[in-house]
């Protein structure tokens, strides 16, 4: 037979079970509500939601029940027993705590357009240039743009778009963001840095033509074309590699590359006839200083002197290249004489220099100041290196 006390105890257990089921279901609903709120409001931070269910039983319980804590959906086994101890007006409190939820990852903003500040560039070797990349919307520019060069040996770059030109050629630079691509074609040139002009010698005579050579450096310069001119009217260009000497005096051959770099070399153009006349005048000046009559120039003697000057290029001696003495040249030029003399010199650049050289030599000086001579012939010639050979022939 069931006693009244036993029926009361059974009712108490039934109430406890109902409350426990209610609390578990409430905790589950609270957890679902919290997750839904995060999804709706962009994931506001939630350090924990607490649901408290309080059920007072003033009729069924006599003593206060100790609280029990449920974490998640399970009853905490370390909590005191939720069983009532009996007695009226007991209270039963359960606390449910839900775990914190993680913040959702912000949505990624994708690039809608990408552009570089230049689509083509022209650089010289060793130049440095920074390309500017514009990405729209601005929020998409998160620093993850990828830069590439299809010819890093010609143009290299870093991941900030800073270019360095290394060699002549063409390279395509690409900037990539979210599968969008912008390109810039870079052409690298090697500039001319030095130009030289050369020819065989420094001195040429009027009427003579000579070739010259122009070199443009460095060897791998992109544009090695140039223009040529002469600095004055003392010479004229014959084509693009020849010069003809017209008047005496200095003249420069100037070659200028397309980037303005120029090179030049000066030539000294001499008039051998004018030099011979000056030697004649300076020789008579010396004679007059010493009270000696002036000499007279004779065409046939001048022709013989010119022949001897040419022969001295081959053999610098008073003996002719054919082995005969120098005076045999007089007869070949129909120059009669019963007294004759010869002065020769080489390497002097001016009439004043050669006359002084002769006057400083006893034997040459004696011929120049010999009162027994009344006629003179003067010859001058130039070898392939521009060296001058001088002769004086004297007769009575």
């Amino acid at each position: 037979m069931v006693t009244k006390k036993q029926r009361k105890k059974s009712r108490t257990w039934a109430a406890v079970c109902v409350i426990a089921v209610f609390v578990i279901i409430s905790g589950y609903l609270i957890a679902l509500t919290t997750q839904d709120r995060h999804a709706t409001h962009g994931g506001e931070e939630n350090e924990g939601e607490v649901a408290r269910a309080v059920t007072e039983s003033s009729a069924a319980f006599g003593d206060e029940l100790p609280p029990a804590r449920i974490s998640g959906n399970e009853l905490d086994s370390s909590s005191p027993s939720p069983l009532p101890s009996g007695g009226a007006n007991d209270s039963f409190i359960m606390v449910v705590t839900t775990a914190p939820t993680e913040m959702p990852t912000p949505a990624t903003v994708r690039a809608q357009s990408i552009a570089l500040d230049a689509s083509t560039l022209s650089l010289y070797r060793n130049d440095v240039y920074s390309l500017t990349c514009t990405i729209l919307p601005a929020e998409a520019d998160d620093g993850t743009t990828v830069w590439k060069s299809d010819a890093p040996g010609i143009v290299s770059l870093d991941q900030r778009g800073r270019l360095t030109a290394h060699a002549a050629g063409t390279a395509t630079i690409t900037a990539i963001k979210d599968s969008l691509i912008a390109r810039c074609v870079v052409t690298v040139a090697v500039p001319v840095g030095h130009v030289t002009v050369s020819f065989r010698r420094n001195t040429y005579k009027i009427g003579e033509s000579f070739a010259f050579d122009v070199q443009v450096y460095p060897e791998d310069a992109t544009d090695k074309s140039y223009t040529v001119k002469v600095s004055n009217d003392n010479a004229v260009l014959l084509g693009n590699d020849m010069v003809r000497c017209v008047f005496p005096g200095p003249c420069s051959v100037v070659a200028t590359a397309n980037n303005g770099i120029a090179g030049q070399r000066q030539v000294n153009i001499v008039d051998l006839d004018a030099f011979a006349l000056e030697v004649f005048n300076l020789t008579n000046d010396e004679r007059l200083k010493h009270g000696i009559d002036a000499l007279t120039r004779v065409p046939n003697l001048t022709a013989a002197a010119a022949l001897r000057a040419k022969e001295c290029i081959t053999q610098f001696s008073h003996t002719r290249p054919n082995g005969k003495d120098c005076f045999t040249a007089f007869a070949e030029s129909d120059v009669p004489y019963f007294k004759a003399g010869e002065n020769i010199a080489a390497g002097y650049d001016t009439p004043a220099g050669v006359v002084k050289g002769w006057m400083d030599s006893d034997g040459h000086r004696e011929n120049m100041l010999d009162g027994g001579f009344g006629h003179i012939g003067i010859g001058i010639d130039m070898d392939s290196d521009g060296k001058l050979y001088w002769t004086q022939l004297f007769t009575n």
Side-chain angles (χ1 to χ4, degrees):
M1 182 176 180
V2 179
T3 63
K4 184 178 181 180
K5 185 175 182 180
Q6 288 174 332
R7 284 196 299 271
K8 181 178 181 181
K9 187 174 182 179
S10 296
R11 287 195 300 270
T12 299
W13 272 105
V16 169
C17 292
V18 171
I19 292 172
V21 170
F22 172 78
V23 169
I24 291 171
I25 294 173
S26 298
Y28 178 74
L29 293 176
I30 291 172
L32 291 178
T33 303
T34 302
Q35 292 176 0
D36 186 65
R37 183 167 61 252
H38 273 291
T40 304
H41 298 289
E44 295 176 354
E45 184 175 359
N46 187 343
E47 296 183 352
E49 290 288 344
V50 177
R52 182 181 299 272
V54 180
T55 302
E56 294 186 1
S57 174
S58 57
F61 306 106
D63 298 325
E64 180 180 352
L65 293 175
R69 180 174 301 275
I70 294 177
S71 298
N73 291 327
E74 297 194 10
L75 190 66
D76 189 345
S77 61
S78 65
S79 302
S81 172
L83 295 178
S85 59
N89 300 322
D90 288 340
S91 296
F92 179 70
I93 300 175
M94 284 189 164
V95 179
V96 179
T97 302
T98 61
T101 57
E102 296 182 358
M103 293 180 61
T105 303
T108 301
V109 179
R110 293 185 61 83
Q112 300 300 315
S113 69
I114 182 172
L116 298 176
D117 63 332
S119 59
T120 60
L121 280 176
S122 294
L123 302 178
Y124 283 124
R125 183 169 60 187
N126 299 325
D127 279 355
V128 175
Y129 185 90
S130 291
L131 282 171
T132 300
C133 182
T134 301
I135 296 173
L136 296 176
E139 293 81 2
D141 190 358
D142 57 0
T144 60
T145 302
V146 177
W147 295 84
K148 294 182 179 180
S149 169
D150 69 346
I154 296 174
V155 179
S156 64
L157 76 162
D158 60 20
Q159 290 304 305
R160 295 175 297 172
R162 187 172 183 266
L163 314 181
T164 302
H166 299 290
T170 301
T172 299
I173 305 302
T174 57
I176 306 171
K177 173 64 177 173
D178 293 342
S179 74
L180 299 177
I181 299 176
R183 293 182 175 87
C184 177
V185 178
V186 182
T187 302
V188 180
V190 177
V192 172
H194 185 55
V195 178
T196 64
V197 179
S198 60
F199 33 83
R200 185 168 183 179
R201 61 183 194 251
N202 294 327
T203 304
Y204 289 87
K205 55 188 177 183
I206 288 179
E208 194 171 12
S209 298
F210 64 90
F212 62 87
D213 181 64
V214 176
Q215 293 294 326
V216 178
Y217 300 96
E219 292 292 342
D220 61 345
T222 304
D223 182 5
K224 299 179 72 173
S225 58
Y226 58 87
T227 58
V228 180
K229 67 178 183 179
V230 291
S231 61
N232 55 42
D233 294 335
N234 291 342
V236 294
L237 285 173
L238 302 176
N240 205 40
D241 60 356
M242 291 286 294
V243 170
R244 181 172 180 80
C245 303
V246 180
F247 299 109
C251 182
S252 294
V253 180
V254 183
T256 305
N258 283 346
N259 68 342
I261 300 298
Q264 62 180 331
R265 184 177 176 185
Q266 181 174 288
V267 61
N268 184 36
I269 302 172
V270 297
D271 183 346
L272 298 187
D273 290 338
F275 274 10
L277 177 60
E278 190 172 351
V279 169
F280 171 72
N281 291 331
L282 290 172
T283 299
N284 277 336
D285 287 345
E286 293 296 337
R287 287 173 69 90
L288 293 174
K289 287 179 186 178
H290 293 82
I292 304 169
D293 291 339
L295 298 167
T296 301
R297 295 180 74 185
V298 178
N300 286 4
L301 196 55
T302 297
L307 174 62
R308 285 295 296 133
K310 185 178 292 294
E311 291 180 343
C312 283
I313 294 175
T314 302
Q315 180 175 307
F316 185 68
S317 170
H318 291 295
T319 299
R320 301 177 70 185
N322 61 9
K324 299 178 181 181
D325 68 63
C326 60
F327 299 109
T328 60
F330 287 67
E332 293 178 10
S333 299
D334 298 325
V335 178
Y337 70 93
F338 63 85
K339 181 180 181 179
E342 178 183 74
N343 284 346
I344 60 175
Y348 292 95
D349 293 330
T350 63
V354 71
V355 169
K356 182 178 185 302
W358 280 327
M359 288 296 293
D360 290 341
S361 169
D362 291 340
H364 298 91
R365 184 174 184 274
E366 183 179 345
N367 279 340
M368 292 175 67
L369 299 181
D370 190 335
F373 294 139
H375 301 103
I376 188 173
I378 300 167
I380 308 169
D381 210 337
M382 181 185 293
D383 69 8
S384 60
D385 294 324
K387 185 178 180 179
L388 294 175
Y389 292 80
W390 311 75
T391 62
Q392 287 178 317
L393 296 183
F394 304 92
T395 62
N396 56 291

